[in-house]
Amino acid sequence: MAQFSQGVKHFILALMVFGSLFGGLTKLRSQVNEGQVRGTVIDEIQMPIIGASIQILGTTQGTITNLDGIFNINASIGDTLQISFIGYSRELVILKDLNDLNIQLAPDAEELEEVVITAFALRREKKTLGYAVQDMKGNELTQATETNVAFAMQGRVSGVQFNRTGSGAGSSTKITIRGVSSLTGSSSPLLVVDGVPMDNSSANPSSANAATASGDANTYIDYGDGLGNINAEDIESISVLKGPNASALYGTRGANGVILITTKTGSQGKGIGVNYSLSFAMENPLVYPDFQNSYGVGTAGKFPIADNGSGIPSAEGSNASSWGQAYDGLPYINWRGRQAVYDSRGNIMEEFYQSGNTLTNSISLNGGNEISTLYFSANNQRNQGILPNSQFNKWNFTLRGTHQLTKKLNVDAKMSYIRSSAEARPIGGGAPFNTMIPFLAMTRDVELSDLQNYKDADGLPVIPKNGIENPYWITNEFKNNDTRNRFIGFVSVNYDFTENLSLSARAGVDHYDDFRFYNIPKNSSTNPLGLLQYTDFALTENNLDALLRYSKQLNDNWFVSVSAGGSMLNVKTNTDLIHGTQLKTSGIENISNASIITAATVQTQREIESVYAFAQIGFRNYLFLDLTGRNDWSSALPEENRSFFYPSATFSFVLSDAFELSRSIDVWKLRGSWAQAGSDGTQLYQDRRYLVIESTPTPGGALLAHFPEVLPNLDLRNELTASIELGMDYYMFLNRLGFQFTYYNAVTTDQIMISPISATSGSRSRTFNAGEVQNQGWELTLSGKPVVKNEFQWEVQINLSRNRNSVLELDDDVDELIIGGLTGSGNSVTVKAIPGQPIGTIHGRDFLKDENGNIILDNKGLPSATSDDVILGTAQPDYLASLLNTVTWKGLSLNFLIESSQGGEIYSETKFRMDFSGNSMASTDGREFLLIDGVNEEGGINTQQTTQEKYMLNIASQNIAAPYIEDASYIALRELSIGYQLPDKWLKNSLFRGVRISAFGRNLGYLQRHLTHVAPEAAMYSTRTTDIGIEYLPLPMTRNIGVKLNVEF
Amino acid sequence: MKTKIISSIILSCLIAVSCSERLEEINLDPNRLEADAAVPGPLFAKSVTLALHKENFSQLLELIADFGPMAHYFATLYPSAFAADSYYDLKEWSSFGYWNIYWQSVGLCNDVLGLTEPGAEYENSNNNAMARVWKVYLMHKLTDVYGDIPYEEGGYSGDGLINPVYNTQEEVYYDLFDQLDQALLDLESEVPGGFTTQDIIYNGDIARWRRFASSLKLRIALRMRHVEPGVAQQKAEEALEEGILSSNADNAQEISGDQRGNFGSPIYQITTNLFAYSQSFKASEDLVEYMKGNHLYRDGGAPSGEDPRLPILIDENANGEIVGIENGHTAEYYTLHPEFATEGSWFLFHNNQYEPVTIMSYAECLFLEAEAALLGYSGTSGTAAELFGAGIEASMQYLGVDTSSYAADEEALFNALADDEARLERIIYQKWIALFPDPHEAWAEQRRTGYPVVVKRTGDDFEQGITQGTIPNRIPYPEGELNTNYTNVNAARENQGGDDMLNKLWWDRNTLQDSWE
């Protein structure tokens, strides 16, 4: 038994040995009673531990165990040997003689944290790293079940910003590590699972304006990202590599940081381990718009029709907003021509959105013997959203096995199948099928019961106001659904030539196929002819890599490890699209029902080939230097600029090992690094002029062709990010207090960007390399255990970070770059990059003011707009902070997480629409008389009164955006969970090995929030880097409360 | 040793894979053609359809929303959202779609000119001349809206010219004549290989292209008659001698046919795809009341009666009435009058998917000729009164209206007038009806002649915008142009005395109308 499992152990630990772990070698000491001591280090199940470090305390002498767990060291009687290995408690042995030793190490969960996963899935001891890495364990992320792993990561890593799109379960998350670096491309980190990159792109809503007019809903649907496809229960740990310094080896896609996910493997042991978990959570909107419930339909405080002929006022067929008279409880004729009582209807939105829920079932089996391990998991998540009829259902199956073919050859293989399907995904943004739009627009006296009969006798929609859809028409008639089938797998082999030399090779594939359908029914109010669309989007990403590793202890002081390898990345996509417009009849959701059918197929392919080498030099186990170099050849660049090289260097100096320091100091480490990372941008086919042949039917059957609006760049070059990072780690009092500080400064130059050019040239924009964007800042993590007493333990972690983003320069003839914004809906804001400012300054019209800052009011008492756009805010937050607390007592544990973002502004389209339509609480003030603070045109104090209605309509017609810019800061109670692990003695004679029950809550509330109507962290409409600073009518973010049961057999 | 062997194996594998040719092949876009595969026909057809239909509905909306209300064909019910009818600053968002599309269309025209010029791969004098005429059409529309434009250097981004220098409107107008004259020299029926299917205007009919070129020349000549009367007369007489459009069959318009895809009539597109917007626009009261005959000319005269084209052009509301909405009211005023939304009439004519867009009509040519006759130019085919009556008749024929007594009655009233200005007034009013729904031309003629008369808006019920109630004389350059080509566009602004919407264009020198406002 022990013999067999030894082989498996070899495989698992080989990476550590060859990649990083080493210790100083013994130095002969001329002393009496000295001699060579031989020892074997084993773990709790009698397996030899490879690479355990043995050190003679008080000296720099040490060694490590070999593949059989055996070490030899020259020592003297009376010496104290310290035997340590990551993940295990340190063991001290005082030599009484020079006989062989047999040392068993006990596992130590605490010590596990010292190992992190780094580039190429290499496990490394934290102290050898010259850059900041932060990691999370799988069970931290699953305490409160979330539908996307990214949601669960929020607040657990410093310097990382998470923004949701507010589209419910199955939606994407925007992750920004250390600020936005790219002006027009992507700033998303690379996602790597078990060493294999995984596509994390989300089928993003296109820009805010694109889809508004054509009613094309597809561009507003968030179809989810790659992280959302991962089964959280499979995750062993997540490491976040925060910048080029940590990710230089990931090449072009690693410049924005890397999220490394390590999934579980089977473990050898007694029998099969079975884990089952069941979780059920309810979700309800956390933040509703702040509606008023005092005024109904009308204008200037009056009903649209004062008397319908029989003495009662009427609003039948009216298109007015909620600027009518105050509720009086008297009868009136409502919008549908029905006599009703003119009174508050309460928050009808609360009745419209239902209570959602998520049921998660997860089971995993693992087992193994000395030569093989197997891990299998199945997971099902069913979500019923808050939007009626909205559903999301996800299945994950994973099978992973490892096998030792010979003593030197190991194989590790994994296969995952993921199937997700969604019905009626909520639509955000300006598409008319966003259910928020009617609620923000229709008058407050509209009753839900009048909306529920949403069709008239002819099957036509009944709408409470022109230009919007009835929300029940949306939920019952508008259809969208999608299915994704995804296969992810890899095979990796590792061959140990000698103790010092090994070769590993890996082939990974990620393939998914999305089938999407949506149907805008005929007779819709905003699109009477209707349309339907089928999209089949397939992506295949293949990664091949090989790495040859050699490590050697050169002499007593020096350790060297050298690796070289190469990789190939190939991504192909295929989109087939069938689009039908002008539906012939209603109720038939089939392409044959369309009068005009257009089809398109779009294929893309990108390949990057790379070679790289890296070396690590260690001196006496306390000074480490890492050097890396990588050369990429990208298909996305023109031939002469295809190849680009980038190096990095990092050092780590463990002061606490180098010098005799106070005994209270556990670790004191200084680290620093310099790195470059190249990138080929995010767009393809930008380096030559192409001709587009159009497929649409034309008058007379003419063929149409045009050149793209974007002028290509025949001399496109790679982007380059250069970064320095300095930091210090400090742990004391047996890790009771920890402190990690990092300063970084990263500059991205030569960005591949697309900037508008004069339309008079015949093109709209051009592609070029320019620009310089800097992100500098610091990250601080404080961790501690204020109380550790008997079985009571309280752990605290505080993450605090500040990133200062600055556009240092754009191109010579580009003064500013418009990266996003909203125009045309009656209000207009743009989001820009301007030299000297952070990326994402929000621009729009302000109130016209005098030199003292007083608003100038005209003779009607109303303000005017500035003649040009001015900077109204910036989308970048100043600080991110979080506080994690874990309190455990016997089997009970309590976790809570408070998360915050401070600084930065956001434009609130919801606020604009609420104010404009007289639906907001803010619109109830000054309905009769409103005196605005300011000066008149002559410079005197304004005395001219107006009304709130005139004021708010005036702001809209003048396009003044300033009142809708709000502070995006918040402090949120992100998570609270209470769990109880049943005592082992209760389970002694049962089937179970462990039972844990817990209750959890997510997004429980705010300690601080300024954005009036919407959750600030879920306000965006897409995950694109450039869609920042704009809140665009998202579905309310939900508060989730649930219970979870974990059972181990 | 072993190490060396293995590492050299790995490296050589990788280098073999990194074969540059393979990556070069991957870097070729499979969805598009390389530029050197371009042939002129599809580019020419795209240039025409682009300008007539824009790219998507929102830009099409801009065309209607910007210029339709200025031409008093439409009135907007939500003034805050639609700048033109409120006389707001149009540079912000409203007109950029039109600007962008026209320049893209110019760029495609330049590509066609380059591909078909003498010595080029697709050399063909007819095709070259068609593109030349089409470019004149695009350019005169651009300059008539903005004034100075980058006429010479615009539309050459393919050659790397991305910051075009502006020309004055005067320079533009003189060169437009040169271009048309060159085209008239080149257009020869005998030259083989002209565009046919790819010519979606005349299907390769060279004789009609010649008539279209001359008609444009006449239009442009009369446009500048107040500033260069001599040149105007010379060019107009040349055009009349050459021969302008001579029947409705000559009309420059898209090929008809039901395979139109998204290229339906603009009004139909608004009604169907932009239903929400079509409810925001109604027929202008000025248009409806004029056609009902409820109109007094400046001399106190009135039309002969209700225009039989009215029920063809404009739809009845739910009550069976044709009702127009007054242009330019405030948002507040409209919210106080919600009935306007249901009572206001929408358009019937062109509210048909298959209705082709008219570029220039026979009726317009007759009105141009009538004006030439009024001015005593030589070469006209009849008296001003005859041509005026024929113009009305041609328009009615085109709309399929029974040529009842209306045209004759109008001609008789016209004939009885002694005052030339009063006669011009009738010509332009009738041309206004015949031009429907081409808002560019109607607004340009309104600025040149002052007809239809648009009174200055005063009072709290009307939006007065940044022109203080006066109808704009031009549109400011789009914000995008200021951001991307500042030096050149700013020189043009300074040359025109600022970017003011009230600055008159070079040809807008008829001072008579100033006293009416």
Side-chain angles (χ1 to χ4, degrees), chain A residues 25-42:
Chain A
L25 263 189
T26 330
K27 184 179 173 175
L28 279 171
R29 289 163 66 183
S30 34
Q31 233 181 324
V32 203
N33 292 335
E34 66 170 36
Q36 196 175 61
V37 176
R38 177 189 163 90
T40 310
V41 182
I42 52 170

Side-chain angles (χ1 to χ4, degrees), chain B residues 441-453:
Chain B
E441 192 55 25
W443 179 45
E445 289 293 83
Q446 197 283 330
R447 284 175 288 165
R448 179 174 73 88
T449 63
Y451 306 116
V453 176

Side-chain angles (χ1 to χ4, degrees), chain B residues 198-218:
Chain B
Q198 295 304 127
D199 168 13
I200 64 163
I201 300 175
Y202 287 124
N203 197 28
D205 187 331
I206 300 303
R208 285 192 164 131
W209 269 101
R210 293 188 66 91
R211 289 199 278 276
F212 175 41
S214 299
S215 307
L216 269 181
K217 193 170 162 183
L218 179 61

Side-chain angles (χ1 to χ4, degrees), chain A residues 225-384:
Chain A
D225 54 14
L227 259 175
N229 287 150
I230 292 174
N231 174 7
E233 301 283 344
D234 282 348
I235 295 173
E236 176 77 44
S237 68
I238 297 182
S239 297
V240 179
L241 312 185
K242 289 179 192 168
N245 307 68
S247 57
L249 288 172
Y250 276 107
T252 178
R253 298 192 298 178
N256 300 316
V258 182
I259 294 175
L260 289 175
I261 296 183
T262 307
T263 66
K264 291 173 181 164
T265 55
S267 55
Q268 65 271 48
K270 300 166 205 121
I272 296 172
V274 180
N275 280 288
Y276 170 73
S277 75
L278 169 70
S279 134
F280 181 76
M282 299 289 291
E283 62 185 64
N284 283 292
L286 175 64
V287 180
Y288 278 113
D290 191 19
F291 286 111
Q292 57 93 358
N293 281 308
S294 318
Y295 298 90
V297 59
T299 307
K302 297 185 187 76
F303 279 103
I305 297 161
D307 183 345
N308 72 338
S310 43
I312 36 179
S314 171
E316 187 174 358
S318 156
N319 210 35
S321 299
S322 300
W323 295 108
Q325 70 169 59
Y327 291 132
D328 55 11
L330 297 172
Y332 80 120
I333 305 297
N334 74 4
W335 64 282
R336 280 200 92 161
R338 184 176 68 81
Q339 186 170 324
V341 175
Y342 189 62
D343 209 345
S344 167
R345 314 298 182 212
N347 188 351
I348 60 167
M349 195 187 236
E350 237 168 276
E351 293 169 53
F352 174 77
Y353 290 121
Q354 60 190 25
S355 184
N357 61 70
T358 305
L359 178 68
T360 310
N361 269 290
S362 187
I363 189 161
S364 70
L365 305 158
N366 77 81
N369 58 25
E370 292 71 12
I371 55 164
S372 303
T373 67
L374 201 66
Y375 175 85
F376 170 79
S377 74
N379 177 297
N380 175 241
Q381 195 159 56
R382 289 175 176 276
N383 172 276
Q384 182 89 49

Side-chain angles (χ1 to χ4, degrees), chain A residues 765-785:
Chain A
S765 49
R766 71 186 167 106
T767 309
F768 60 107
N769 287 96
E772 204 173 327
V773 174
Q774 184 185 46
N775 280 288
Q776 61 172 326
W778 49 261
E779 289 155 359
L780 175 67
T781 300
L782 281 169
S783 54
K785 292 172 198 154

Side-chain angles (χ1 to χ4, degrees), chain A residues 605-616:
Chain A
Q605 189 180 8
R606 150 183 271 155
E607 189 164 302
I608 298 170
E609 287 155 11
S610 317
V611 292
Y612 36 78
F614 50 102
Q616 189 186 44

Side-chain angles (χ1 to χ4, degrees), chain A residues 575-588:
Chain A
T575 311
D576 293 329
L577 185 116
I578 305 171
H579 185 84
T581 53
Q582 303 191 9
L583 305 188
K584 294 166 192 161
T585 179
S586 54
I588 296 177

